[in-house]
């Protein structure tokens, strides 16, 4: 059991903390708004960190409120009798305005929002979620802006709009710079606990060796590509995409990412009129082609017409262009890849779902975005909703329980032999996207 976190001022602002950082942290902790503002005059000051504890001014302003009392009936959570939450709210807003980073972690691997959540400070937690949503939307905008500026710019674009985008881009770039792991050579800088964690990239993943066993598919770094504990999520996803009343109607299905074939097995049981699978990894394709596979050439031949049941080998980024060209339409589309970030999923549903999904169809995806941290999960939920709306899609979230008994501890239970616990939450938000009415 990890030892309980000591949230005292003495524990959080270390003796090693340089005076300038200490001053800012003390003012944040004391919710001294005017004193703090004077110290935030330079860029980056709102995100300074105690070199030992990783405390940022946001952590300090939140932690200083202490744990919330259990709300009595009819009372709002966070109604701090001493008004500390109101003061903290103002300070937190000031810090965000001065460029404070919403997701810096401290030595306990907690972001400011994680601290707020643990202390039951819902209003402060929501401020952090709002800041996360703003930051993620800016990052997304920045990607688009870079693409725009490398080609011909829209001439009729409003000049003010462009200026605003440039400012937002600069702010996001500064945030990205601040969020980079710290230089290990500098002894006075805080090094986050996960600084050595190397994110999986799609290119490397698609070249890596894979290992299948009965209950998981691992890459060569022992990352869990797919695990059997997700079976219930797959079952619920199929039910949400093809409701029971429609299950005998022979729906047209597209699944992106075969993995262990769990969801494809479930789709196949419904005898779809069309069942297309896109898979990019050579080892997964080899697995599919084995004589005992359910999705080999016999399955392809068993479709109601030629090409109705088919595994498309290749990256979805290439294959969907072919499908669009062929004029394929689907009643149900599921997207669950590996080694790709949110921008890929966003590209898929913003650029391709509108052309591939029947007007009455449904789209869903494996919602593991940010699932190793509640606040990231909440941020992505909101960001996805906004981007879906931009693509003309409504999202409904079906919240389902995840049995955490064997998922609660790193390296134990289901995670035995798996490098990273990518799921930590007891609720899964299953997205069901449909075209706006
Ligand atoms: C998490 S697994 C899918 C699990 C699947 N839903 C199931 O029920 O077993 C992800 C799959 O996506 C594949 N994949 C990753 N990137 C891809 C890409 N760009 N195009 C197509 N498939 C991809 C992986 O090789 C892997 O087989």
């Amino acid at each position: 059991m990890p030892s309980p976190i000591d949230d005292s001022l003495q524990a959080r602002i270390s003796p090693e903390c340089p005076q300038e950082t200490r001053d800012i942290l003390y003012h944040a902790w004391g919710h001294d708004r005017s004193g703090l503002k004077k110290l935030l005059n330079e860029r980056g000051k709102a995100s300074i960190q105690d070199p030992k504890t990783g405390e940022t001014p946001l952590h300090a302003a939140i932690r200083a409120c202490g744990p919330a009392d259990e709300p009595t009936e009819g009372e709002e959570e966070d109604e701090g009798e001493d008004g500390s939450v109101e003061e903290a709210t103002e300070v937190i807003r000031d810090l965000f305005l001065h460029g404070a980073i919403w997701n810096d972690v401290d030595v306990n691997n907690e972001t400011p929002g994680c601290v707020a959540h643990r202390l039951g400070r819902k209003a402060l937690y929501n401020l952090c979620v709002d800041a996360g949503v703003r930051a993620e939307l800016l990052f997304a905008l920045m990607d688009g802006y870079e693409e725009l500026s490398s080609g011909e710019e829209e001439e009729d674009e409003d000049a003010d709009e462009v200026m605003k985008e440039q400012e937002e881009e600069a702010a996001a770039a500064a945030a990205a710079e601040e969020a980079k792991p710290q230089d290990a050579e500098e002894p006075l800088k805080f090094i986050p606990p996960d600084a050595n964690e190397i994110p999986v990239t799609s290119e490397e993943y698609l070249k890596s060796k894979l290992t299948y066993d009965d209950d998981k598919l691992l890459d060569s770094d022992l990352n869990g590509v797919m695990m059997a504990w997700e079976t219930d999520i797959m079952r619920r996803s199929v039910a949400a995409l093809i409701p029971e009343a429609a299950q005998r109607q022979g729906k047209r299905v597209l699944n992106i990412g075969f993995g262990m074939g769990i969801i494809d097995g479930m789709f196949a049981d419904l005898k779809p009129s069309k069942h297309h699978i896109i898979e990019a990894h050579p080892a997964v394709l080899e697995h599919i082609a084995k004589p005992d596979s359910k999705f080999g050439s016999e399955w392809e031949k068993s479709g109601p017409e030629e090409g109705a049941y088919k595994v498309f080998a290749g990256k979805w980024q290439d294959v969907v262009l072919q499908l669009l060209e062929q004029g394929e339409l689907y009643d149900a589309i599921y997207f669950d890849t590996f080694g790709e970030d949110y921008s890929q999923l966003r590209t898929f549903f913003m650029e391709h779902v509108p052309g591939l999904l029947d007007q009455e169809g449904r789209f869903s995806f494996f919602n593991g975005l940010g699932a190793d941290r509640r606040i990231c999960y909440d941020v992505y939920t909101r960001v996805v909703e906004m981007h879906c709306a931009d693509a003309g899609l409504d999202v409904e979230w079906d919240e389902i329980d995840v049995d955490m008994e064997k998922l609660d501890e790193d390296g134990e239970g289901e995670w035995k032999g798996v490098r990273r616990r990518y799921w930590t939450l007891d609720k899964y938000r299953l997205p069901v996207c449909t075209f706006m009415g």
Side-chain angles (χ1 to χ4, degrees), residues 107-143:
V107 74
N108 301 314
N109 201 17
E110 285 189 317
T111 68
C114 300
V115 176
H117 190 268
R118 178 171 53 78
L119 297 177
R121 297 294 184 182
K122 201 155 182 259
L124 304 185
Y125 176 76
N126 288 340
L127 286 177
C128 297
V129 173
D130 290 345
V133 172
R134 285 195 300 273
E136 290 308 306
L137 291 176
L138 283 178
F139 275 121
L141 207 90
M142 203 169 88
D143 270 345

Side-chain angles (χ1 to χ4, degrees), residues 425-436:
L425 310 169
D426 60 359
K427 299 266 185 250
Y428 176 82
R429 281 188 203 130
L430 192 161
V432 184
C433 307
T434 49
F435 285 116
M436 286 173 173

